[in-house]
Amino acid sequence: MTNAPSSSLPSDHQASLIDGKGFAAKMRQHIREDVLAFHEKHGVTPGLAVILVGNDPASEVYVRNKAVQTHHAGMRSFMHMLPENTSEAELLALIDRLNKDPEIHGILVQLPLPNGLDGRRVTNAILPEKDVDGLGEINAGRLAVGLPSLIPCTPLGCLLLLRDQLGDMKGQHAVIIGASNLVGKPMALLLLAEGCTVSIAHIHTRDTAALARQADILVVATGCRELVRGDWIKLGATVIDVGITRIKTDDGKTRLVGDVAFDEAVKVAGRITPVPGGVGPVTIACLLKNTLTAAKLQLEGNAE
Ligand code: NAD
């Protein structure tokens, strides 16, 4: 079987679902084994500190979920829940303590921060070798010039899913919709390093649909629910939907939707990630992976 999209599909075609949940479970199992081996070698358990400022309920759910999964992976989790009115000086002082603490191998500050706190300054205060979100300028710069680095968890997760699905991606046209520092830009660099021809669309792109139609691999991370319609997708393309928007349903409940109109896309794409159950679980598994990588960097000087 080739990775190239076909030129026509049967009328009852359904894309195969990329099972992010199952993939993440396998990743976590491998990480757990690696954490045990690391502990046997060094007598050290990797530790992850997560800092949340303010009391945004959605962020609290994310942070607690990260803590539970960190424990399940055999690592130590340290939660720092700070009040909304925390000053930047207090936050930087905490990061400084965690930077110096040998029990902490990874530090993550949940973004966005409340008004008045400079996310860039705070992120850059984390030591590069503990920057498990990969958002500091040193890690971002190293990724840009092709040096080993801690890679932001969401694009790393998308890359691992794509490698698992497609193997060699050389020569494929990857279109990324969204150009944030968190997802779109690092995704573009990672797929460039895989040998893809990469196009990036963003809010000012003139005809995003026309560009998307050229994609063998389409990664969408805009935060605009169901932006990508079925007729934006080339037959047989691989679609990775990063977007998450929580919407209210008629029965008063809520549900998550992606940036891709799933019911339309599934009739055209070759493979597609569902929302939920696609990129989300793999992102958290990548945070665990990065924490172990960071611990290896600190104790072994490399991440192998
Ligand atoms: P962002 O707001 O920082 O960036 C959005 C990008 O999309 C920008 O580059 C903007 O120019 C572009 N964009 C917006 N509207 C567009 C349009 N109509 N056409 C073309 N481009 C458009 O967002 P982000 O932090 O990159 O996150 C994007 C989405 O991914 C959000 O829904 C977020 O919740 C989700 N997300 C999911 C995970 C996960 O684990 N699944 C992780 C991070 C972000």
Side-chain angles (χ1 to χ4, degrees):
M1 202 174 89
T2 83
N3 291 332
S6 54
S7 55
S8 66
L9 292 168
S11 57
D12 59 350
H13 169 81
Q14 286 274 316
S16 59
L17 287 194
I18 301 175
D19 175 14
K21 211 169 157 188
F23 186 79
K26 275 193 227 137
M27 270 185 78
R28 290 198 302 271
Q29 179 59 34
H30 284 138
I31 294 165
R32 216 172 4 246
E33 288 160 16
D34 282 0
V35 166
L36 278 176
F38 181 83
H39 186 268
E40 259 173 38
K41 193 167 166 192
H42 298 288
V44 171
T45 303
L48 171 67
V50 178
I51 304 172
L52 174 64
V53 187
N55 39 21
D56 173 53
S59 295
E60 268 180 39
V61 172
Y62 285 139
V63 165
R64 290 191 194 284
N65 193 9
K66 284 171 184 171
V68 168
Q69 296 212 20
T70 306
H71 280 297
H72 284 171
M75 297 193 266
R76 298 177 74 195
S77 159
F78 302 82
M79 299 234 295
H80 295 267
M81 313 288 256
L82 306 183
E84 180 91 21
N85 61 359
T86 302
S87 71
E88 197 167 294
E90 287 168 322
L91 183 52
L92 292 175
L94 171 61
I95 291 174
D96 188 48
R97 279 204 305 283
L98 297 171
N99 277 340
K100 290 175 179 147
D101 186 340
E103 293 195 340
I104 304 294
H105 303 91
I107 304 171
L108 179 153
V109 178
Q110 185 71 35
L111 299 174
L113 287 168
N115 285 340
L117 298 177
D118 181 339
R120 180 125 302 279
R121 199 153 42 219
V122 168
T123 304
N124 278 324
I126 300 169
L127 275 181
E129 59 270 33
K130 295 194 178 188
D131 171 23
V132 283
D133 245 350
L135 296 176
E137 286 164 9
I138 299 287
N139 279 308
R142 289 179 68 88
L143 176 62
V145 294
L147 289 171
S149 62
L150 286 164
I151 297 166
C153 303
T154 301
L156 176 59
C158 296
L159 175 71
L160 296 179
L161 280 175
L162 283 166
R163 275 193 190 149
D164 182 59
Q165 291 289 319
L166 302 176
D168 187 352
M169 288 176 261
K170 275 190 207 72
Q172 299 224 24
H173 187 186
V175 174
I176 295 150
I177 311 182
S180 67
N181 290 332
L182 185 64
V183 189
K185 278 189 218 165
M187 189 76 250
L189 290 166
L190 290 169
L191 290 176
L192 197 57
E194 292 295 297
C196 293
T197 301
V198 178
S199 303
I200 310 175
H202 47 78
I203 192 73
H204 301 298
T205 299
R206 290 214 181 100
D207 191 347
T208 302
L211 190 62
R213 269 180 219 115
Q214 297 172 33
D216 304 311
I217 297 167
L218 183 63
V219 182
V220 193
T222 66
C224 297
R225 66 179 269 208
E226 299 181 329
L227 171 75
V228 173
R229 314 307 309 187
D231 65 358
W232 289 34
I233 296 168
K234 176 158 136 180
L235 293 183
T238 300
V239 178
I240 305 287
D241 188 355
V242 179
I244 313 175
T245 306
R246 185 169 287 282
I247 59 161
K248 280 216 167 78
T249 50
D250 293 342
D251 55 5
K253 295 187 178 152
T254 64
R255 72 180 176 94
L256 297 180
V257 290
D259 289 355
V260 177
F262 184 84
D263 293 346
E264 296 176 18
V266 82
K267 296 183 184 137
V268 193
R271 308 153 198 249
I272 186 168
T273 54
V275 176
V279 174
V282 186
T283 293
I284 301 188
C286 284
L287 174 65
L288 307 177
K289 181 179 167 68
N290 276 354
T291 303
L292 179 59
T293 302
K296 288 182 181 174
L297 276 172
Q298 286 154 63
L299 274 90
E300 299 171 359
N302 66 58
E304 295 310 311

